[in-house]
Amino acid sequence: MSTAMFGAPVRRHEDARLLTGAGRYLDDLGHRALAAAFVRSPHAHARVSDIDVTAAAEVDGVVAIFTYEDLTGRMAEPLPLLIPHPALHAPRTAYPLARGEVNHVGEPVVMVVARDRYLAEDAAARVVVSYDPLPAVVGLPAARSARHAVHPDVPDNVAAHLVQAVGEVDTAIAAAPHVLELDLEIERSASTPLEGKGVYARWNSDEGSLRVYTSTQASTSVRAAVAAKLGLPLVKVDCIAPDVGGGFGVKIVHPWPEEVLVAWAAQRLAALAPEGIKWTEDRWEHFVSSAHERGQLQHVRVGFDSDGRLLGLDVTIWHDNGAYTPYGIIVPIITSTQLLGPYKPGAYRCEFFSLYTNTVIVTPYRGAGRPQGVFAMERTMDAIADHLGLDRAEVRAVNFIAAEEMPYDQGLIFQDGRPLIYDSGDFAATLDKLKALVGWSDFQAYREQARAAGRRVGIGLACYVEGTGVGPYEGGHVQVETSGKVMVATGLTSQGQGHQTVLAQIVADELGVDFDDVEVTTGDTRRFGYAVGTFASRAAVMSGNAVALAARKVRQKALRIAGEALEADPSDLEIVSGVVRVKGAPASAIPLSTVAVLSNPLRYAFDEAAKAATQFAVGDTSKPPVAEDDEPGLEARDFYSPTQSTFANGMHAVIVETDPDTAEVRVLRYCVVHDCGPLINPMIVEGQVHGGVAQGVAGALYERMVYDDAGQLLNASFMDFLMPYASEIPTVEIDHLETPSPLNPLGIKGAGEAGVIPGSAVIASAIEDAEGFVIRRMPISPSELFELRASYAAGRVPGLRRTSGERTDPRTRPGHSPDNDSPDNDSPDKET
Amino acid sequence: MTRISMSVDGVRYSDDVEPRTLLVHYLRERVGKTGTVVGCDTSNCGACTVQLDGQAVKSCSVLAVQADGAQITTIEGLAGPDGALHPMQQAFHAQHGLQCGFCTPGMIMTAVDLLAENPDPSEAEIREGIEGNLCRCTGYQNIVRAVQSAAEQMRGVRS
Ligand code: FES
Ligand code: FES
């Protein structure tokens, strides 16, 4: 490695265009395209009895109006079930346009194509759809009660039911000296990238081919889905993710109804739309017709010993999957497996029910089920610590898997269908770093000081393990051009993670070229056709290793060709700054650009450099110009396909202040210790952590989806959905631990989602500590905290056993039921 | 249709527009300034921020006809004539103040406006000053640092 870019906080290649307005997001393309707009259901559940488009068709500039009846071939079938699972016994997916019934507000019913978006919206407003409303199932209690069904052929609203178990949990809990039960609740939130979805498709009548640009996290798979729906050969469809203004999970779902409809209409209306058709989602559409996440009810039953060691853990989860299940049951599977975090649970059973409601679909949002799982586990840890009067950090520590026990098999099946085996991590070391960073042991003194000043503060912590780098594979292509520039392509997509920079760092090091000579393309099927997508913190692990492997192949070939040219043994050569030279004799050298020329035997010299490779200039006349096992060109591609995920981990601690009067919660300090293995670019990793933490804080204190009983989303705008501004988000303090993964050549683990995962858990822990009563439900608003205080005062909410916050001893409160078998504990968090 | 005329990034444009056309749509679709983007439909996100006669405005809440006769500067007109980045653009690059970049044009235009009014803002003043702009990627931490560092640069403080 000559340039050592790996590990350096290199400034990003992406920035030059994005800082000057020269980026190209979906809506920046296709200026002469026709525009599509959609008529969407205003009802959560209804039968569509009639659609009258007469008035709409009269609007000047309207080109076409489509309803379900117009859809042909496979377009008339339901959208695909992307991830089938045997436990998903009643999967349902939507039709591209509603077929006689709508199941959530925002479901597309009619598509209008017009000269521009203003006119398309004018016409859409004139479409008259008649609905016969049906009872709406909103919220998990309604879904569970099954008084009404979302889908008539699924009368209990249960889409999936899955139980995973290790050991005999009932026996273990029955034998445990202490048992606690907790009922927990997490509300809905959503990815909410600043750029919504969008798709622009153009049919090329001359070639009989289709080009689709879409703001997606999975362009290869959109391509395959569109080709299948339209009955086109794959090679006749290109799919390109241009600059994408954030994804955070929602754009991994595909094909969206709009993706297949716009592509289909572009082909069908080719004569009228030579420049194609474009649809750009507006913010309201994003709220009501994309996807949400997080909503769960949980019941935890835990048995433990007097040190707080888990003996048996029994968790039941009710997961709200919305109206359809196109993405399968990935989210609750992740919740039920990643719930275990860095701990050994003793015997474990997790059972979940994934339930239909008449609301927007639920698919992964950064963290993807982990925030809920961590919430369950960490609330349980705090409850155990409080019950036993032990320090919360100590209780976690006694349950940790030790570093020497890696790899550690949790005995479950993970979201990728593979065993849940942790590959690396040193949880005790991470906790030590976190305690030092936040000053865990000094907090009691700080609390006393604050209390003396009339302030109420609390500290919390939460731990997580995150399976990252999920398979099946990613690939990379590396090509040295005769200019010496190195062109790299990988099929997965980018939404701001800096892949063009990070992958260039890896290739620069592997190949021995300058970082600025490496240019990376992502998410363009014209450049690389095989890929899975960007999700599950997998891009750096998967494509990072794939481009590294491809670069190693190119390097080998370069050394071989240079060795012939320099009459040296390839093992005596090195590549430094794009020049191949003999180690110790740098004068004997040949630039990679020339090696690239030599790699491609030519008949015709198209420029000065190419002359070196023409037929009268080179070649051993006894051999074919291209050897039997060789190919022309200084390029290679390779794939990385791991046997299993690699597990990153981390721990967060937070100090909050709660206002004694207004119940406003302020985050005073937010500390993160994070282990994603060796950092390719610490600046980018820290940026990912900052952004994740912001979403974690947002989900804990501000954001939620407020549905009324009729299934109307009441806060479907940035006016009412409280996405935080700079004034709400704290500064994040970060420390790293770098335990490499043994599973991949670079030793790296994913980092993209980590920041968000313990957000609700850690803030609940700190608020509970500040207030002295239990928090079982997140997010929490000031008015909810205010009411909890009143309920606590009235004895309806149990207090903590330990003394904390500004109040009288909670054990004198009504409603507190002392547990006789636990050691008496009157002291605040003990420290060792 | 109404005839309007305005200067955008130093170039004069005259066009007939429907009176209901938003300034941001005029800039993007008629003038071709796609660097200015749209992130919401309620004037909350600030992604569309441009300068109108030297003041930052959300161009989604201004009608194109209201900008008749105005001087507009977008993110595309912020760099010097030689292409040299504005100190604010440089600072966003150096401090990693952008990820997906979608909020960035509006964020930078707002931050430039903030420093015009207050060349030496505290961290709290910066956070308050960019409170009309949403970013979903960065958690704002590096944006705040970028504005701080641009302020230092622009005041001529050596860092
Ligand atoms: S697009 Fe103008 S404020 Fe959001
Ligand atoms: S960088 Fe993506 S929204 Fe700000």
Side-chain angles (χ1 to χ4, degrees):
Chain A
M1 301 219 175
S2 51
T3 41
M5 297 302 283
F6 192 111
V10 181
R11 298 302 180 263
R12 303 195 320 165
H13 271 161
E14 291 83 346
D15 293 358
R17 64 177 190 279
L18 300 179
L19 284 167
T20 52
R24 286 293 174 268
Y25 302 95
L26 193 280
D27 195 39
D28 304 342
L29 309 169
H31 269 280
R32 291 189 300 274
L34 301 183
F38 290 87
V39 178
R40 297 180 183 278
S41 170
H43 295 286
H45 199 190
R47 258 188 282 283
V48 180
S49 55
D50 186 52
I51 302 177
D52 181 356
V53 302
T54 347
E58 284 164 9
V59 172
D60 178 44
V62 168
V63 175
I65 301 177
F66 299 114
T67 68
Y68 173 79
E69 301 302 324
D70 299 306
L71 301 181
T72 48
R74 294 190 61 187
M75 286 295 293
E77 297 171 6
L79 293 166
L81 170 62
L82 288 174
I83 311 179
H85 188 288
L88 177 58
H89 60 266
R92 296 292 177 273
T93 59
Y95 291 89
L97 292 170
R99 182 189 184 187
E101 184 177 325
V102 286
N103 282 304
H104 66 85
V105 170
E107 188 163 348
V109 181
V110 180
M111 178 193 197
V112 178
V113 180
R115 199 166 60 230
D116 65 36
R117 182 66 176 262
Y118 281 73
L119 298 172
E121 296 283 356
D122 286 348
R126 284 172 176 71
V127 173
V128 183
V129 185
S130 307
Y131 297 93
D132 298 327
L134 297 165
V137 180
V138 181
L140 281 163
R144 211 160 50 172
S145 82
R147 258 192 64 219
H148 301 290
V150 174
H151 302 288
D153 52 349
V154 190
D156 60 358
N157 290 317
V158 178
H161 176 225
L162 182 66
V163 184
Q164 288 210 65
V166 192
E168 292 298 323
V169 80
D170 288 327
T171 322
I173 293 177
H178 308 272
V179 176
L180 282 173
E181 300 201 31
L182 290 80
D183 284 299
L184 301 166
E185 185 175 345
I186 288 234
E187 286 195 46
R188 278 189 173 209
S189 188
S191 304
T192 326
L194 206 55
E195 181 207 30
K197 307 196 304 280
V199 54
Y200 163 47
R202 207 168 63 211
W203 178 256
N204 184 326
S205 312
D206 299 332
E207 295 178 355
S209 65
L210 181 73
R211 181 172 299 175
V212 182
Y213 295 86
T214 177
S215 186
T216 186
Q217 293 175 224
S219 53
T220 49
S221 195
V222 173
R223 177 199 198 196
V226 167
K229 279 284 178 200
L230 270 53
L232 293 169
L234 202 56
V235 294
K236 290 291 186 185
V237 181
D238 294 324
C239 185
I240 299 145
D243 284 322
V244 173
F248 313 113
V250 65
K251 295 177 185 176
I252 191 62
V253 181
H254 63 279
W256 289 97
E258 299 87 356
E259 280 174 327
V260 291
L261 287 165
V262 167
W264 171 79
Q267 183 189 20
R268 201 182 147 109
L269 300 176
L272 299 167
E275 298 292 334
I277 299 175
K278 180 169 74 171
W279 168 75
T280 308
E281 185 177 62
D282 67 30
R283 185 53 54 187
W284 174 77
E285 288 181 297
H286 190 76
F287 274 103
V288 300
S289 66
S290 284
H292 301 164
E293 218 237 88
R294 306 282 197 253
Q296 283 183 359
L297 297 174
Q298 304 165 332
H299 181 78
V300 178
R301 200 162 61 95
V302 62
F304 50 98
D305 69 15
S306 296
D307 296 327
R309 193 171 288 109
L310 299 175
L311 300 172
L313 180 65
D314 186 8
V315 182
T316 311
I317 294 166
W318 294 269
H319 172 81
D320 178 353
N321 61 225
Y324 303 106
T325 51
Y327 210 76
I329 48 173
I330 288 298
V331 172
I333 291 178
I334 295 178
T335 303
S336 62
T337 47
Q338 298 262 270
L339 186 148
L340 295 177
Y343 312 115
K344 300 183 205 176
Y348 178 56
R349 176 171 65 201
C350 189
E351 171 173 23
F352 72 73
F353 299 87
S354 191
L355 297 164
Y356 284 113
T357 58
N358 288 113
T359 58
V360 177
I361 58 169
V362 168
T363 64
Y365 158 35
R366 194 184 208 169
R370 294 176 188 86
Q372 300 94 308
V374 169
F375 184 68
M377 183 54 115
E378 297 297 306
R379 292 284 67 218
T380 303
M381 284 290 163
D382 278 1
I384 293 172
D386 190 61
H387 186 86
L388 297 177
L390 296 174
D391 175 55
R392 287 171 287 166
E394 290 302 307
V395 167
R396 285 165 170 87
V398 298
N399 285 291
F400 281 160
I401 296 158
E404 313 79 71
E405 294 175 277
M406 296 291 172
Y408 188 83
D409 187 348
Q410 287 280 22
L412 302 173
I413 298 298
F414 191 42
Q415 63 145 328
D416 50 4
R418 305 268 166 157
L420 183 73
I421 302 174
Y422 297 174
D423 56 310
S424 56
D426 185 344
F427 306 133
T430 306
L431 182 62
D432 284 345
K433 272 184 179 264
L434 183 75
K435 285 168 76 173
L437 182 63
V438 73
W440 183 259
S441 311
D442 307 327
F443 185 73
Q444 204 48 38
Y446 176 73
R447 190 204 303 278
E448 296 307 331
Q449 263 177 22
R451 185 177 296 163
R455 296 167 54 216
R456 193 181 289 191
V457 296
I459 191 168
L461 84 164
C463 312
Y464 66 91
V465 166
E466 181 196 1
T468 71
V470 174
Y473 72 86
E474 286 298 332
H477 179 255
V478 174
Q479 177 166 19
V480 182
E481 302 226 333
T482 54
S483 64
K485 290 269 177 214
V486 181
M487 309 305 280
V488 178
T490 188
L492 60 63
T493 57
S494 304
Q495 304 83 40
Q497 302 91 334
H499 300 146
Q500 289 180 326
T501 301
V502 170
L503 300 181
Q505 287 178 260
I506 292 171
V507 170
D509 277 359
E510 292 290 345
L511 210 50
V513 298
D514 290 342
F515 168 70
D516 285 329
D517 285 332
V518 186
E519 196 180 309
V520 177
T521 301
T522 62
D524 183 339
T525 61
R526 295 170 303 179
R527 292 289 306 282
F528 206 90
Y530 290 94
V532 184
T534 298
F535 59 94
S537 304
R538 69 192 292 282
V541 178
M542 302 301 299
S543 284
N545 281 292
V547 300
L549 294 171
R552 285 175 195 182
K553 279 191 181 172
V554 171
R555 179 188 172 86
Q556 254 182 3
K557 181 164 185 179
L559 295 180
R560 171 166 59 74
I561 296 170
E564 286 162 18
L566 297 172
E567 292 175 355
D569 189 311
S571 63
D572 293 335
L573 299 177
E574 61 182 0
I575 311 180
V576 179
S577 281
V579 176
V580 190
R581 63 188 193 192
V582 178
K583 288 179 205 160
S588 190
I590 177 172
L592 267 185
S593 53
T594 308
V595 178
V597 170
L598 296 176
S599 73
N600 181 20
L602 291 173
R603 183 173 177 84
Y604 311 113
F606 50 83
D607 65 7
E608 202 54 37
K611 283 183 183 165
T614 49
Q615 56 193 358
F616 297 108
V618 286
D620 175 345
T621 50
S622 67
K623 293 186 198 156
V626 178
E628 223 171 87
D629 56 350
D630 201 6
E631 288 175 4
L634 189 49
E635 64 180 297
R637 67 178 189 169
D638 208 341
F639 292 84
Y640 172 65
S641 179
T643 50
Q644 65 153 81
S645 300
T646 171
F647 289 82
N649 71 85
M651 302 181 190
H652 292 196
V654 68
I655 297 177
V656 301
E657 174 162 3
T658 56
D659 188 293
D661 299 318
T662 65
E664 204 159 334
V665 179
R666 224 157 44 93
V667 176
L668 301 181
R669 287 185 65 203
Y670 200 113
C671 298
V672 172
V673 178
H674 182 229
D675 179 0
C676 62
L679 306 178
I680 307 168
N681 185 326
M683 176 190 84
I684 285 177
V685 171
E686 294 197 354
Q688 288 292 315
V689 173
H690 294 164
V693 167
Q695 285 175 322
V697 171
L701 297 176
Y702 304 104
E703 296 173 356
R704 67 182 71 202
M705 294 294 168
V706 185
Y707 276 102
D708 71 8
D709 291 343
Q712 297 293 335
L713 185 58
L714 300 180
N715 62 339
S717 78
F718 281 159
M719 192 84 79
D720 300 308
F721 177 83
L722 302 179
M723 190 157 127
Y725 291 98
S727 35
E728 281 89 31
I729 296 300
T731 298
V732 184
E733 302 162 54
I734 305 177
D735 196 359
H736 297 278
L737 192 74
E738 300 186 31
T739 60
S741 168
L743 296 176
N744 64 72
L746 300 175
I748 54 183
K749 306 184 262 194
E753 296 173 276
V756 78
I757 293 171
S760 284
V762 73
I763 288 177
S765 177
I767 294 175
E768 181 171 284
D769 185 52
E771 294 287 322
F773 51 78
V774 301
I775 304 288
R776 294 287 184 256
R777 186 175 164 197
M778 291 297 269
I780 188 164
S781 67
S783 48
E784 283 163 325
L785 181 56
F786 188 86
E787 266 155 37
L788 270 181
R789 282 176 180 171
S791 300
Y792 170 54
R796 292 192 303 270
V797 167
L800 298 183
R801 297 184 156 205
R802 66 179 183 272
T803 304
S804 64
E806 182 194 274
R807 62 179 190 287
T808 54
D809 184 341
R811 281 171 304 170
T812 63
R813 297 274 177 181
H816 176 78
S817 51
D819 180 293
N820 293 327
D821 62 0
S822 73
D824 185 50
N825 171 44
D826 208 19
S827 63
D829 297 341
K830 285 183 299 195
E831 294 299 334
T832 47
Chain B
M1 289 285 184
T2 308
R3 186 88 186 156
I4 57 167
S5 144
M6 69 184 80
S7 143
V8 182
D9 296 335
V11 177
R12 205 124 208 106
Y13 295 86
S14 292
D15 281 296
D16 291 321
V17 298
E18 269 195 81
R20 63 174 174 171
T21 309
L22 299 177
L23 177 58
V24 66
H25 290 145
Y26 174 71
L27 291 172
R28 289 179 54 80
E29 275 145 37
R30 298 293 286 278
V31 183
K33 297 283 180 183
T34 52
T36 301
V37 297
V38 176
C40 73
D41 36 29
T42 48
S43 306
N44 291 96
C45 77
C48 61
T49 305
V50 299
Q51 281 175 17
L52 189 152
D53 292 333
Q55 284 239 307
V57 298
K58 292 179 173 175
S59 62
C60 71
S61 31
V62 177
L63 294 168
V65 291
Q66 291 177 294
D68 187 24
Q71 303 248 4
I72 306 286
T73 307
T74 78
I75 187 72
E76 295 174 56
L78 199 59
D82 55 347
L85 293 184
H86 185 280
M88 190 64 74
Q89 292 169 311
Q90 277 169 6
F92 268 67
H93 178 56
Q95 303 296 333
H96 189 32
L98 67 158
Q99 290 181 24
C100 80
F102 201 75
C103 71
T104 310
M107 203 60 94
I108 287 180
M109 297 312 284
T110 302
V112 168
D113 189 57
L114 167 68
L115 294 193
E117 275 170 33
N118 179 1
D120 188 12
S122 66
E123 179 182 335
E125 285 170 331
I126 293 173
R127 286 183 180 270
E128 214 169 286
I130 58 172
E131 211 185 10
N133 292 66
L134 286 170
C135 173
R136 192 54 159 172
C137 298
T138 63
Y140 303 103
Q141 189 158 333
N142 289 346
I143 292 178
V144 172
R145 276 172 45 187
V147 179
Q148 280 169 330
S149 119
E152 280 171 25
Q153 291 293 321
M154 288 166 71
R155 289 199 317 276
V157 178
R158 288 182 202 285
S159 51

